[in-house]
Amino acid sequence: MVQDKCKELNKDINLFTIDSAESLENFRLKYLTKKSPIQDLFNLIKDIAGDERKQAGQYINEVKQQAEAKFEQHKELYTKSNIKNQPVFDYSLSHNAVNTGSRHPLQITLNSIVQLFSKLGFTVSNGPEIENDWHNFSALNFPAEHPARDMQDTFFVNAEHALRTHTSSVQVRLMESTQPPIRSLMPGRVYRNEAISARANCFFHQVEGLYIDRDVSFADLKYTLYEFVKQFFNNDVKVRFRPSYFPFTEPSAEMDISCQICKGSGCNVCKQSGWVEILGCGMVDSQVLTNCKIDEQIYSGFAFGMGIERLTMLQYGINDLRIFFDNDIRFLKQFVPEN
Ligand code: PHE
């Protein structure tokens, strides 16, 4: 009798289709738990006598082993991590890195210049890159046909307009629209028709500054710019002012700082002199104040202008200006945002 029941079970087990994790679990619940028909048979054999009991035990054991073998066989295939059609996550894989950008080195330099001057009360002013003759030249004492215009080789858009050659044009706009006190920076892109080399490009970036109030003197100019370079570079920096010429300032000067690359001992960047020029400056010419409707009897002021590329090259020891405009990610990713 036990033998017949075992044969029947044997058949059922063979016919049971396991083709998913669910049917695998159903198979286990049906044949491999304490309530399975196999277990029921085991419970019966205690009533069977002697030799027959041993024989019956063997039959049932065979069925049990068959069920266990079938379960093991399919377990591999249908355990959770092998289930097809379900997303398989491998949590040990490295994630797709999200590349965040970093600030362009020129922007980092500009930000710190703006920050340092804002402590002295300077605001930021902007103006157009296509500028008319008045704002870029005439108001700044460059008369028509005057050779001083050759100082800055100009890209003309038409007879009246050009790409601005300096952001002094923004100074004119500010003076025309605001009465002193004026304390502002004029950052921006400027254009000059120059051959492209390691030291020059046909466009670059400037920050100019303008300070106009009662009793502003050349001493204020020197103090302000000296404080700026000490904070921008380091406290050891030395400065010197050399007389120079700009049509819109009188007197005019250029400021040199001790070379930050070789610390003054002489290198390629400072052409072995130990000094590098970083800006032009001067007292705003009284005629320029008048051109911009500011009373030169009451007010005086100073102005300065510097190249952002030059400062950035000195700050980071970069020897080719063109690299700023290549957008090579290997270069750019070396500059982490400063905040
Ligand atoms: N505008 C001058 C230049 O582009 C720089 C400058 C600004 C000089 C203000 C003196 C005063 O070269």
Side-chain angles (χ1 to χ4, degrees), residues 12 16 25-33 35-37:
D12 290 348
F16 196 110
E25 178 64 359
N26 288 339
F27 182 86
R28 188 187 70 80
L29 291 172
K30 185 154 184 194
Y31 295 110
L32 298 174
T33 62
K35 286 177 184 154
S36 76

Side-chain angles (χ1 to χ4, degrees), residues 141 143 146 148 151 242-250 252-254 281:
N141 283 348
H146 192 279
M151 283 170 74
R242 281 178 292 102
S244 185
Y245 171 77
F246 300 101
F248 38 89
T249 48
E250 181 60 35
S252 303
E254 281 176 322
C281 57

Side-chain angles (χ1 to χ4, degrees), residues 152 166 168 171 192 206 208 246 248-249 280-281 303-305:
Q152 301 169 347
H166 50 187
S168 304
Q171 302 194 9
R192 292 183 196 175
Q206 273 194 331
E208 296 211 353
F246 300 101
F248 38 89
T249 48
C281 57
F304 57 88

